[in-house]
Amino acid sequence: MSLTVFTIVHNHANTLRRVYESLSTQTVSDNFEWLVIDNASSDFTLELVDGFIRESRIPIKYIPFADMSPLYECWKKAYSVIESDLSFHISPECFLPDNIVELTLSCWAAKGSGRYAGIAGLIYEAETDSPTGGHFPDDMESCFLNDLKTRGIHRGEVATVMRSDLVRKALHDISGTARAKYFSPEGLFLQICDTLPLLVIDRNLLYIDRFEKTDMPTDSIQRHKILAELSRQQMCLRHSTPLHRMRAAIVYIYECIHLSERRWLSGSPRKLMTLAAALPGLLLYAYRRLLK
Protein backbone atom coordinates (compact mmCIF):
# COMPACT_ATOMS: atom_id res chain seq x y z
CA MET A 1 0.00 0.00 0.00
CA SER A 2 1.46 3.38 -1.02
CA LEU A 3 0.56 7.06 -1.37
CA THR A 4 1.69 9.86 -3.68
CA VAL A 5 1.13 13.46 -2.66
CA PHE A 6 1.42 15.69 -5.71
CA THR A 7 1.54 19.43 -6.15
CA ILE A 8 1.29 21.44 -9.37
CA VAL A 9 3.18 24.70 -9.11
CA HIS A 10 3.79 27.85 -11.14
CA ASN A 11 6.02 30.39 -9.39
CA HIS A 12 5.01 29.15 -5.95
CA ALA A 13 8.46 28.94 -4.38
CA ASN A 14 7.28 31.17 -1.52
CA THR A 15 4.86 28.49 -0.24
CA LEU A 16 6.58 25.31 -1.38
CA ARG A 17 8.88 24.95 1.62
CA ARG A 18 5.90 24.70 3.97
CA VAL A 19 4.47 21.84 1.90
CA TYR A 20 7.86 20.13 2.01
CA GLU A 21 8.26 20.55 5.77
CA SER A 22 4.78 19.13 6.41
CA LEU A 23 5.72 16.04 4.42
CA SER A 24 9.16 15.72 6.00
CA THR A 25 7.69 15.49 9.51
CA GLN A 26 5.22 12.68 8.81
CA THR A 27 4.85 10.04 11.52
CA VAL A 28 5.82 7.36 9.00
CA SER A 29 8.49 7.69 6.33
CA ASP A 30 7.76 4.63 4.18
CA ASN A 31 5.39 4.02 1.29
CA PHE A 32 4.91 7.58 0.13
CA GLU A 33 6.52 10.14 -2.15
CA TRP A 34 6.05 13.75 -3.15
CA LEU A 35 5.58 14.56 -6.83
CA VAL A 36 6.13 18.16 -7.93
CA ILE A 37 4.84 19.16 -11.36
CA ASP A 38 6.47 22.48 -12.26
CA ASN A 39 4.36 24.26 -14.86
CA ALA A 40 7.04 26.51 -16.37
CA SER A 41 7.98 28.44 -13.22
CA SER A 42 10.31 31.39 -13.70
CA ASP A 43 11.15 31.89 -10.01
CA PHE A 44 13.58 29.77 -7.96
CA THR A 45 11.33 26.68 -7.77
CA LEU A 46 13.90 24.48 -9.54
CA GLU A 47 16.71 25.45 -7.18
CA LEU A 48 14.45 25.04 -4.16
CA VAL A 49 13.29 21.53 -5.10
CA ASP A 50 16.86 20.53 -5.99
CA GLY A 51 17.81 21.48 -2.45
CA PHE A 52 14.95 19.39 -1.04
CA ILE A 53 16.06 16.39 -3.08
CA ARG A 54 19.65 16.73 -1.86
CA GLU A 55 18.47 16.70 1.76
CA SER A 56 17.07 13.16 1.17
CA ARG A 57 14.46 13.49 3.90
CA ILE A 58 11.62 12.14 1.73
CA PRO A 59 11.37 10.64 -1.78
CA ILE A 60 10.71 13.41 -4.31
CA LYS A 61 10.03 13.35 -8.04
CA TYR A 62 10.33 16.64 -9.92
CA ILE A 63 8.89 17.04 -13.42
CA PRO A 64 9.25 20.42 -15.15
CA PHE A 65 7.32 21.75 -18.13
CA ALA A 66 9.37 24.01 -20.38
CA ASP A 67 6.28 25.95 -21.50
CA MET A 68 3.08 26.82 -19.68
CA SER A 69 0.64 23.93 -20.15
CA PRO A 70 -3.12 23.52 -19.55
CA LEU A 71 -4.12 22.06 -16.21
CA TYR A 72 -5.35 18.85 -17.82
CA GLU A 73 -1.91 18.21 -19.30
CA CYS A 74 -0.32 18.69 -15.88
CA TRP A 75 -2.67 16.14 -14.32
CA LYS A 76 -2.21 13.74 -17.22
CA LYS A 77 1.55 13.97 -16.84
CA ALA A 78 1.30 13.43 -13.09
CA TYR A 79 -0.69 10.23 -13.49
CA SER A 80 1.63 8.95 -16.17
CA VAL A 81 4.32 8.64 -13.48
CA ILE A 82 2.26 7.96 -10.34
CA GLU A 83 2.57 4.28 -9.46
CA SER A 84 1.10 4.33 -5.94
CA ASP A 85 -2.25 2.84 -4.93
CA LEU A 86 -3.54 6.16 -3.57
CA SER A 87 -2.87 9.74 -4.62
CA PHE A 88 -3.59 13.08 -3.00
CA HIS A 89 -3.48 16.37 -4.89
CA ILE A 90 -2.74 19.41 -2.72
CA SER A 91 -2.44 23.01 -3.86
CA PRO A 92 0.66 25.04 -3.03
CA GLU A 93 -1.24 27.11 -0.45
CA CYS A 94 -2.03 23.96 1.53
CA PHE A 95 0.01 21.80 3.87
CA LEU A 96 -0.48 18.55 5.76
CA PRO A 97 -0.93 17.46 9.36
CA ASP A 98 1.93 15.25 10.48
CA ASN A 99 -0.08 12.00 10.47
CA ILE A 100 -1.70 12.15 7.03
CA VAL A 101 0.32 9.32 5.48
CA GLU A 102 -0.15 6.98 8.44
CA LEU A 103 -3.84 7.85 8.74
CA THR A 104 -4.79 7.32 5.11
CA LEU A 105 -2.74 4.18 4.57
CA SER A 106 -4.01 2.53 7.76
CA CYS A 107 -7.61 3.45 6.91
CA TRP A 108 -7.31 2.02 3.41
CA ALA A 109 -5.55 -1.12 4.63
CA ALA A 110 -8.37 -1.75 7.12
CA LYS A 111 -11.43 -0.81 5.05
CA GLY A 112 -10.42 -0.06 1.46
CA SER A 113 -11.49 -2.20 -1.47
CA GLY A 114 -12.67 -2.00 -5.06
CA ARG A 115 -16.04 -0.84 -3.75
CA TYR A 116 -14.64 2.59 -2.88
CA ALA A 117 -13.11 5.40 -4.91
CA GLY A 118 -10.90 6.57 -2.07
CA ILE A 119 -11.12 8.46 1.21
CA ALA A 120 -12.85 11.71 2.16
CA GLY A 121 -11.65 13.69 5.14
CA LEU A 122 -11.79 17.18 6.59
CA ILE A 123 -10.02 20.34 5.50
CA TYR A 124 -8.96 22.63 8.34
CA GLU A 125 -8.51 26.40 8.22
CA ALA A 126 -4.88 27.09 9.05
CA GLU A 127 -5.78 30.33 10.84
CA THR A 128 -8.38 28.85 13.20
CA ASP A 129 -7.38 25.16 13.26
CA SER A 130 -11.03 24.21 12.72
CA PRO A 131 -12.76 22.24 9.93
CA THR A 132 -14.45 24.08 7.08
CA GLY A 133 -18.14 23.25 7.38
CA GLY A 134 -17.77 21.38 10.65
CA HIS A 135 -17.48 17.64 11.23
CA PHE A 136 -19.02 14.63 9.50
CA PRO A 137 -21.85 12.73 11.21
CA ASP A 138 -20.52 10.32 13.87
CA ASP A 139 -21.99 7.19 12.29
CA MET A 140 -20.98 7.88 8.67
CA GLU A 141 -18.58 5.32 7.17
CA SER A 142 -18.96 6.08 3.45
CA CYS A 143 -20.73 8.52 1.17
CA PHE A 144 -20.93 9.64 -2.44
CA LEU A 145 -19.01 12.87 -2.85
CA ASN A 146 -21.84 15.00 -4.23
CA ASP A 147 -24.25 13.75 -1.57
CA LEU A 148 -22.16 15.48 1.09
CA LYS A 149 -23.20 18.87 -0.23
CA THR A 150 -26.52 18.27 -1.95
CA ARG A 151 -28.00 16.26 0.94
CA GLY A 152 -26.79 18.79 3.51
CA ILE A 153 -24.47 16.27 5.18
CA HIS A 154 -21.42 18.54 5.11
CA ARG A 155 -21.27 22.05 3.67
CA GLY A 156 -17.56 22.70 3.83
CA GLU A 157 -14.68 21.72 1.58
CA VAL A 158 -13.60 18.09 1.62
CA ALA A 159 -10.15 16.55 1.16
CA THR A 160 -10.14 13.54 -1.18
CA VAL A 161 -7.46 10.87 -1.31
CA MET A 162 -8.24 8.95 -4.48
CA ARG A 163 -7.48 5.57 -5.96
CA SER A 164 -4.84 6.32 -8.57
CA ASP A 165 -6.14 3.79 -11.07
CA LEU A 166 -9.57 5.44 -11.17
CA VAL A 167 -8.16 8.93 -11.69
CA ARG A 168 -5.82 7.68 -14.41
CA LYS A 169 -8.72 6.00 -16.25
CA ALA A 170 -10.98 9.05 -15.91
CA LEU A 171 -8.26 11.32 -17.32
CA HIS A 172 -7.84 8.96 -20.26
CA ASP A 173 -11.60 8.83 -20.87
CA ILE A 174 -12.01 12.60 -21.14
CA SER A 175 -9.01 13.08 -23.44
CA GLY A 176 -9.99 15.16 -26.45
CA THR A 177 -13.34 16.24 -24.96
CA ALA A 178 -14.60 19.55 -23.60
CA ARG A 179 -13.95 18.25 -20.09
CA ALA A 180 -10.25 18.02 -20.91
CA LYS A 181 -10.16 21.43 -22.60
CA TYR A 182 -11.98 23.06 -19.68
CA PHE A 183 -10.64 20.76 -17.00
CA SER A 184 -11.31 21.09 -13.27
CA PRO A 185 -10.26 18.63 -10.54
CA GLU A 186 -13.68 19.11 -8.92
CA GLY A 187 -15.41 17.89 -12.06
CA LEU A 188 -13.08 14.92 -12.36
CA PHE A 189 -13.71 13.80 -8.78
CA LEU A 190 -17.48 14.30 -9.11
CA GLN A 191 -17.41 12.09 -12.20
CA ILE A 192 -15.47 9.30 -10.47
CA CYS A 193 -17.41 9.51 -7.20
CA ASP A 194 -20.81 9.49 -8.89
CA THR A 195 -20.28 5.75 -9.42
CA LEU A 196 -18.33 4.71 -6.32
CA PRO A 197 -18.56 6.13 -2.77
CA LEU A 198 -15.68 7.34 -0.62
CA LEU A 199 -14.73 6.06 2.78
CA VAL A 200 -15.32 8.87 5.27
CA ILE A 201 -13.01 9.66 8.18
CA ASP A 202 -13.80 12.56 10.50
CA ARG A 203 -10.18 13.64 10.73
CA ASN A 204 -8.11 16.51 9.44
CA LEU A 205 -6.40 15.56 6.18
CA LEU A 206 -5.34 19.00 4.99
CA TYR A 207 -4.71 22.56 6.15
CA ILE A 208 -5.59 25.45 3.83
CA ASP A 209 -4.19 28.95 4.19
CA ARG A 210 -6.65 31.51 2.82
CA PHE A 211 -4.05 34.26 2.99
CA GLU A 212 -1.88 32.55 0.38
CA LYS A 213 -3.41 33.02 -3.06
CA THR A 214 -1.58 30.65 -5.38
CA ASP A 215 -4.05 29.72 -8.11
CA MET A 216 -2.70 28.85 -11.52
CA PRO A 217 -2.94 31.80 -13.91
CA THR A 218 -6.14 31.46 -15.94
CA ASP A 219 -7.73 34.15 -18.05
CA SER A 220 -11.27 35.28 -17.27
CA ILE A 221 -12.86 33.73 -20.36
CA GLN A 222 -11.24 30.37 -19.64
CA ARG A 223 -12.53 30.44 -16.04
CA HIS A 224 -16.09 31.05 -17.25
CA LYS A 225 -15.79 28.22 -19.78
CA ILE A 226 -14.56 25.89 -17.02
CA LEU A 227 -17.55 26.84 -14.85
CA ALA A 228 -19.95 26.33 -17.76
CA GLU A 229 -18.53 22.85 -18.40
CA LEU A 230 -18.69 21.99 -14.70
CA SER A 231 -22.33 23.11 -14.58
CA ARG A 232 -23.16 20.92 -17.58
CA GLN A 233 -21.66 17.98 -15.73
CA GLN A 234 -23.49 18.74 -12.48
CA MET A 235 -26.84 18.67 -14.28
CA CYS A 236 -26.26 14.97 -15.03
CA LEU A 237 -24.96 13.62 -11.73
CA ARG A 238 -26.92 10.68 -10.36
CA HIS A 239 -26.09 11.51 -6.78
CA SER A 240 -27.69 14.92 -6.65
CA THR A 241 -31.12 16.47 -6.04
CA PRO A 242 -33.53 18.20 -8.47
CA LEU A 243 -32.84 21.49 -6.68
CA HIS A 244 -29.09 21.25 -7.15
CA ARG A 245 -29.45 20.18 -10.78
CA MET A 246 -31.63 23.24 -11.37
CA ARG A 247 -29.05 25.44 -9.63
CA ALA A 248 -26.41 24.01 -11.97
CA ALA A 249 -28.63 24.82 -14.96
CA ILE A 250 -29.04 28.41 -13.75
CA VAL A 251 -25.28 28.80 -13.38
CA TYR A 252 -24.88 27.29 -16.86
CA ILE A 253 -27.23 29.93 -18.31
CA TYR A 254 -25.36 32.68 -16.47
CA GLU A 255 -22.00 31.49 -17.83
CA CYS A 256 -23.35 31.17 -21.37
CA ILE A 257 -24.67 34.74 -21.27
CA HIS A 258 -21.32 35.94 -19.98
CA LEU A 259 -19.59 34.09 -22.81
CA SER A 260 -22.12 35.24 -25.45
CA GLU A 261 -22.70 31.56 -26.22
CA ARG A 262 -25.56 31.33 -28.72
CA ARG A 263 -25.70 27.52 -28.74
CA TRP A 264 -26.54 27.33 -25.05
CA LEU A 265 -29.56 25.09 -25.56
CA SER A 266 -28.01 22.64 -28.01
CA GLY A 267 -24.94 22.44 -25.77
CA SER A 268 -26.95 21.47 -22.70
CA PRO A 269 -27.37 17.81 -21.68
CA ARG A 270 -30.73 18.63 -20.00
CA LYS A 271 -32.65 20.80 -22.45
CA LEU A 272 -36.00 21.06 -20.66
CA MET A 273 -34.27 21.88 -17.40
CA THR A 274 -32.12 24.46 -19.19
CA LEU A 275 -35.18 26.10 -20.72
CA ALA A 276 -36.75 26.31 -17.27
CA ALA A 277 -33.55 27.88 -15.95
CA ALA A 278 -33.26 30.47 -18.73
CA LEU A 279 -35.13 33.29 -16.98
CA PRO A 280 -33.54 32.75 -13.53
CA GLY A 281 -30.12 32.58 -15.20
CA LEU A 282 -30.79 35.85 -17.04
CA LEU A 283 -31.94 37.52 -13.82
CA LEU A 284 -28.81 36.27 -12.03
CA TYR A 285 -26.64 37.76 -14.76
CA ALA A 286 -28.50 41.09 -14.60
CA TYR A 287 -28.26 41.17 -10.80
CA ARG A 288 -24.51 40.56 -10.77
CA ARG A 289 -24.00 43.20 -13.45
CA LEU A 290 -25.84 45.71 -11.26
CA LEU A 291 -23.55 44.90 -8.33
CA LYS A 292 -20.41 45.75 -10.30
Coordinates of all heavy atoms in Angstrom, one line a residue, residues 226-272:
I226 N -14.7 27.0 -18.0 CA -14.6 25.9 -17.0 C -15.8 25.8 -16.2 O -16.3 24.6 -16.0 CB -13.3 26.1 -16.1 CG1 -12.0 25.9 -17.0 CG2 -13.3 25.2 -15.0 CD1 -10.8 26.4 -16.3
L227 N -16.3 26.9 -15.7 CA -17.5 26.8 -14.8 C -18.8 26.4 -15.6 O -19.6 25.7 -15.1 CB -17.8 28.2 -14.2 CG -16.8 28.6 -13.2 CD1 -17.0 30.1 -12.8 CD2 -16.9 27.7 -11.9
A228 N -18.8 26.8 -16.9 CA -20.0 26.3 -17.8 C -19.9 24.8 -18.0 O -20.9 24.1 -17.9 CB -19.9 27.1 -19.1
E229 N -18.7 24.3 -18.2 CA -18.5 22.9 -18.4 C -18.8 22.1 -17.1 O -19.5 21.0 -17.1 CB -17.1 22.5 -18.9 CG -16.9 21.1 -19.1 CD -17.8 20.5 -20.2 OE1 -18.1 21.2 -21.2 OE2 -18.2 19.3 -20.0
L230 N -18.4 22.6 -16.0 CA -18.7 22.0 -14.7 C -20.2 22.0 -14.4 O -20.7 21.0 -13.9 CB -18.0 22.7 -13.6 CG -18.1 22.2 -12.2 CD1 -17.6 20.7 -12.1 CD2 -17.4 23.0 -11.2
S231 N -20.9 23.1 -14.8 CA -22.3 23.1 -14.6 C -23.0 22.1 -15.5 O -24.0 21.5 -15.0 CB -22.8 24.5 -14.9 OG -22.2 25.5 -14.0
R232 N -22.6 21.9 -16.7 CA -23.2 20.9 -17.6 C -23.0 19.5 -16.9 O -24.0 18.7 -17.0 CB -22.4 20.9 -18.9 CG -23.1 21.8 -20.0 CD -22.5 21.6 -21.4 NE -21.1 22.0 -21.5 CZ -20.7 23.2 -22.0 NH1 -21.6 24.0 -22.4 NH2 -19.5 23.5 -22.1
Q233 N -21.9 19.3 -16.4 CA -21.7 18.0 -15.7 C -22.6 17.8 -14.5 O -23.1 16.7 -14.3 CB -20.2 17.9 -15.3 CG -19.8 16.5 -14.7 CD -18.4 16.5 -14.3 OE1 -17.6 17.4 -14.7 NE2 -18.0 15.4 -13.6
Q234 N -22.7 18.8 -13.7 CA -23.5 18.7 -12.5 C -25.0 18.5 -12.8 O -25.7 18.0 -11.9 CB -23.3 20.0 -11.6 CG -21.9 20.1 -11.0 CD -21.6 21.4 -10.3 OE1 -22.1 22.4 -10.7 NE2 -20.9 21.3 -9.2
M235 N -25.4 18.9 -13.9 CA -26.8 18.7 -14.3 C -27.1 17.2 -14.5 O -28.3 16.8 -14.4 CB -27.2 19.4 -15.6 CG -27.5 20.9 -15.4 SD -28.2 21.6 -16.9 CE -26.7 22.2 -17.7
C236 N -26.1 16.4 -14.7 CA -26.3 15.0 -15.0 C -25.9 14.0 -13.9 O -26.0 12.8 -14.1 CB -25.4 14.7 -16.3 SG -25.9 15.6 -17.7
L237 N -25.4 14.5 -12.8 CA -25.0 13.6 -11.7 C -26.1 12.8 -11.2 O -27.2 13.4 -10.9 CB -24.3 14.4 -10.6 CG -23.0 15.1 -11.0 CD1 -22.5 16.0 -9.8 CD2 -21.9 14.1 -11.3
R238 N -25.9 11.5 -11.0 CA -26.9 10.7 -10.4 C -27.1 11.0 -8.9 O -28.2 11.0 -8.4 CB -26.5 9.2 -10.5 CG -26.5 8.7 -11.9 CD -26.3 7.2 -12.0 NE -25.1 6.8 -11.3 CZ -24.8 5.6 -10.8 NH1 -25.7 4.7 -10.9 NH2 -23.7 5.4 -10.2
H239 N -26.0 11.2 -8.2 CA -26.1 11.5 -6.8 C -26.2 13.0 -6.6 O -25.2 13.7 -6.2 CB -24.9 10.9 -6.1 CG -24.9 9.4 -6.1 ND1 -25.7 8.7 -5.2 CD2 -24.4 8.5 -6.9 CE1 -25.5 7.4 -5.5 NE2 -24.7 7.3 -6.5
S240 N -27.4 13.5 -6.8 CA -27.7 14.9 -6.6 C -29.2 15.0 -6.3 O -29.9 14.0 -6.1 CB -27.3 15.7 -7.9 OG -27.5 17.1 -7.8
T241 N -29.7 16.2 -6.3 CA -31.1 16.5 -6.0 C -31.7 17.3 -7.2 O -30.9 18.0 -7.8 CB -31.4 17.2 -4.7 OG1 -30.8 18.5 -4.8 CG2 -30.7 16.4 -3.5
P242 N -33.0 17.3 -7.4 CA -33.5 18.2 -8.5 C -33.2 19.7 -8.2 O -32.9 20.4 -9.2 CB -35.0 17.9 -8.3 CG -35.1 16.5 -7.8 CD -34.0 16.4 -6.9
L243 N -33.2 20.1 -7.0 CA -32.8 21.5 -6.7 C -31.4 21.8 -7.1 O -31.2 22.9 -7.7 CB -33.0 21.8 -5.2 CG -32.6 23.2 -4.7 CD1 -33.4 24.2 -5.4 CD2 -32.7 23.3 -3.2
H244 N -30.5 21.0 -6.8 CA -29.1 21.2 -7.1 C -28.8 21.1 -8.7 O -28.0 21.8 -9.2 CB -28.1 20.3 -6.4 CG -27.9 20.8 -4.9 ND1 -28.8 20.5 -3.9 CD2 -26.9 21.5 -4.4 CE1 -28.4 21.1 -2.8 NE2 -27.2 21.7 -3.1
R245 N -29.6 20.2 -9.3 CA -29.5 20.2 -10.8 C -30.0 21.5 -11.4 O -29.4 22.0 -12.4 CB -30.2 19.0 -11.3 CG -29.6 17.6 -10.9 CD -30.3 16.5 -11.7 NE -29.8 15.2 -11.2 CZ -30.5 14.4 -10.3 NH1 -31.7 14.8 -9.9 NH2 -30.0 13.3 -9.9
M246 N -31.1 22.0 -10.8 CA -31.6 23.2 -11.4 C -30.7 24.4 -11.1 O -30.5 25.3 -11.9 CB -33.0 23.5 -10.7 CG -33.6 24.9 -11.2 SD -33.8 25.0 -13.0 CE -35.1 23.9 -13.3
R247 N -30.0 24.4 -9.9 CA -29.0 25.4 -9.6 C -27.9 25.4 -10.6 O -27.4 26.4 -11.1 CB -28.5 25.3 -8.2 CG -29.5 25.7 -7.1 CD -28.9 25.5 -5.7 NE -29.8 25.9 -4.7 CZ -29.6 25.7 -3.4 NH1 -28.5 25.1 -3.0 NH2 -30.4 26.1 -2.5
A248 N -27.5 24.2 -11.0 CA -26.4 24.0 -12.0 C -26.8 24.5 -13.3 O -26.1 25.2 -14.0 CB -26.0 22.5 -12.1
A249 N -28.1 24.3 -13.7 CA -28.6 24.8 -15.0 C -28.7 26.3 -15.0 O -28.4 27.0 -16.0 CB -30.0 24.2 -15.2
I250 N -29.0 26.9 -13.8 CA -29.0 28.4 -13.7 C -27.6 29.0 -13.9 O -27.4 30.0 -14.6 CB -29.7 28.8 -12.4 CG1 -31.2 28.5 -12.4 CG2 -29.5 30.3 -12.2 CD1 -31.8 28.7 -11.0
V251 N -26.7 28.4 -13.2 CA -25.3 28.8 -13.4 C -24.8 28.6 -14.8 O -24.1 29.5 -15.4 CB -24.4 28.0 -12.4 CG1 -22.9 28.3 -12.7 CG2 -24.7 28.3 -11.0
Y252 N -25.2 27.5 -15.5 CA -24.9 27.3 -16.9 C -25.4 28.4 -17.7 O -24.7 28.9 -18.6 CB -25.5 25.9 -17.3 CG -25.3 25.7 -18.8 CD1 -24.1 25.4 -19.4 CD2 -26.5 25.7 -19.6 CE1 -24.0 25.2 -20.7 CE2 -26.4 25.5 -21.0 CZ -25.2 25.2 -21.5 OH -25.1 25.0 -22.9
I253 N -26.7 28.8 -17.5 CA -27.2 29.9 -18.3 C -26.4 31.2 -18.1 O -26.1 31.9 -19.0 CB -28.7 30.2 -17.9 CG1 -29.6 29.0 -18.4 CG2 -29.2 31.5 -18.5 CD1 -29.7 28.8 -19.9
Y254 N -26.1 31.5 -16.8 CA -25.4 32.7 -16.5 C -24.0 32.7 -17.2 O -23.6 33.7 -17.8 CB -25.1 32.7 -15.0 CG -24.1 33.7 -14.5 CD1 -24.5 35.1 -14.3 CD2 -22.8 33.4 -14.3 CE1 -23.6 36.0 -13.9 CE2 -21.9 34.3 -13.9 CZ -22.2 35.6 -13.7 OH -21.3 36.6 -13.4
E255 N -23.3 31.6 -17.2 CA -22.0 31.5 -17.8 C -22.1 31.6 -19.3 O -21.3 32.3 -20.0 CB -21.3 30.2 -17.5 CG -21.0 30.0 -16.0 CD -20.1 31.1 -15.4 OE1 -19.4 31.7 -16.2 OE2 -20.0 31.2 -14.2
C256 N -23.2 31.1 -19.9 CA -23.4 31.2 -21.4 C -23.6 32.6 -21.8 O -23.1 33.1 -22.8 CB -24.5 30.3 -21.8 SG -24.1 28.5 -21.9
I257 N -24.4 33.3 -21.0 CA -24.7 34.7 -21.3 C -23.4 35.5 -21.2 O -23.1 36.4 -22.0 CB -25.7 35.3 -20.3 CG1 -27.1 34.6 -20.5 CG2 -25.8 36.8 -20.5 CD1 -28.1 35.0 -19.5
H258 N -22.6 35.3 -20.2 CA -21.3 35.9 -20.0 C -20.4 35.7 -21.2 O -19.6 36.6 -21.6 CB -20.7 35.5 -18.7 CG -19.5 36.4 -18.2 ND1 -19.7 37.3 -17.3 CD2 -18.2 36.4 -18.6 CE1 -18.5 37.9 -17.1 NE2 -17.6 37.4 -17.9
L259 N -20.5 34.5 -21.7 CA -19.6 34.1 -22.8 C -20.2 34.4 -24.2 O -19.6 34.1 -25.2 CB -19.3 32.6 -22.7 CG -18.5 32.1 -21.5 CD1 -18.6 30.6 -21.4 CD2 -17.0 32.6 -21.7
S260 N -21.4 35.0 -24.2 CA -22.1 35.2 -25.4 C -22.3 34.0 -26.3 O -22.1 34.0 -27.5 CB -21.4 36.3 -26.3 OG -21.3 37.5 -25.5
E261 N -22.6 32.9 -25.6 CA -22.7 31.6 -26.2 C -24.1 31.4 -26.8 O -25.1 31.3 -26.0 CB -22.4 30.5 -25.2 CG -22.6 29.1 -25.7 CD -21.8 28.7 -26.9 OE1 -20.6 28.7 -26.8 OE2 -22.4 28.6 -28.0
R262 N -24.2 31.4 -28.1 CA -25.6 31.3 -28.7 C -26.1 29.9 -28.8 O -27.3 29.7 -28.9 CB -25.5 31.9 -30.1 CG -25.1 33.4 -30.2 CD -25.1 33.9 -31.6 NE -24.8 35.3 -31.6 CZ -24.7 36.1 -32.8 NH1 -24.9 35.5 -33.9 NH2 -24.4 37.3 -32.7
R263 N -25.2 28.9 -28.7 CA -25.7 27.5 -28.7 C -25.9 26.9 -27.3 O -25.6 25.8 -27.1 CB -24.7 26.7 -29.5 CG -24.6 27.1 -31.0 CD -23.5 26.4 -31.7 NE -22.2 26.7 -31.2 CZ -21.0 26.2 -31.7 NH1 -21.1 25.3 -32.6 NH2 -19.9 26.5 -31.1
W264 N -26.4 27.8 -26.4 CA -26.5 27.3 -25.1 C -27.5 26.2 -24.9 O -27.3 25.3 -24.1 CB -27.0 28.5 -24.2 CG -28.2 29.2 -24.6 CD1 -28.3 30.2 -25.5 CD2 -29.5 28.9 -24.2 NE1 -29.6 30.6 -25.7 CE2 -30.4 29.9 -24.9 CE3 -30.1 28.0 -23.3 CZ2 -31.8 29.9 -24.7 CZ3 -31.5 28.1 -23.2 CH2 -32.3 29.0 -23.9
L265 N -28.6 26.2 -25.7 CA -29.6 25.1 -25.6 C -29.1 23.8 -26.2 O -29.1 22.7 -25.6 CB -30.9 25.5 -26.2 CG -32.0 24.5 -26.0 CD1 -32.3 24.2 -24.5 CD2 -33.3 25.0 -26.7
S266 N -28.5 23.9 -27.4 CA -28.0 22.6 -28.0 C -26.8 22.1 -27.3 O -26.6 20.9 -27.3 CB -27.6 22.9 -29.5 OG -26.6 23.9 -29.5
G267 N -26.1 22.9 -26.5 CA -24.9 22.4 -25.8 C -25.3 21.9 -24.4 O -24.4 21.4 -23.7
S268 N -26.6 21.9 -24.0 CA -27.0 21.5 -22.7 C -27.3 20.0 -22.7 O -28.0 19.6 -23.7 CB -28.1 22.3 -22.2 OG -28.7 21.7 -21.0
P269 N -27.0 19.2 -21.7 CA -27.4 17.8 -21.7 C -28.8 17.6 -21.1 O -29.3 16.5 -21.2 CB -26.3 17.2 -20.7 CG -26.0 18.3 -19.8 CD -26.0 19.6 -20.6
R270 N -29.4 18.7 -20.6 CA -30.7 18.6 -20.0 C -31.5 19.8 -20.5 O -31.6 20.9 -19.9 CB -30.7 18.7 -18.5 CG -30.0 17.5 -17.8 CD -31.0 16.2 -17.9 NE -30.4 15.1 -17.2 CZ -29.7 14.2 -17.7 NH1 -29.4 14.2 -19.0 NH2 -29.2 13.2 -17.0
K271 N -32.1 19.7 -21.7 CA -32.7 20.8 -22.5 C -33.9 21.4 -21.8 O -34.1 22.6 -21.7 CB -32.9 20.4 -23.9 CG -31.6 20.2 -24.7 CD -31.8 19.8 -26.1 CE -30.4 19.7 -26.8 NZ -29.4 18.9 -26.1
L272 N -34.8 20.5 -21.3 CA -36.0 21.1 -20.7 C -35.6 21.8 -19.4 O -36.2 22.9 -19.1 CB -37.0 19.9 -20.4 CG -37.7 19.3 -21.6 CD1 -38.6 18.1 -21.1 CD2 -38.5 20.4 -22.3

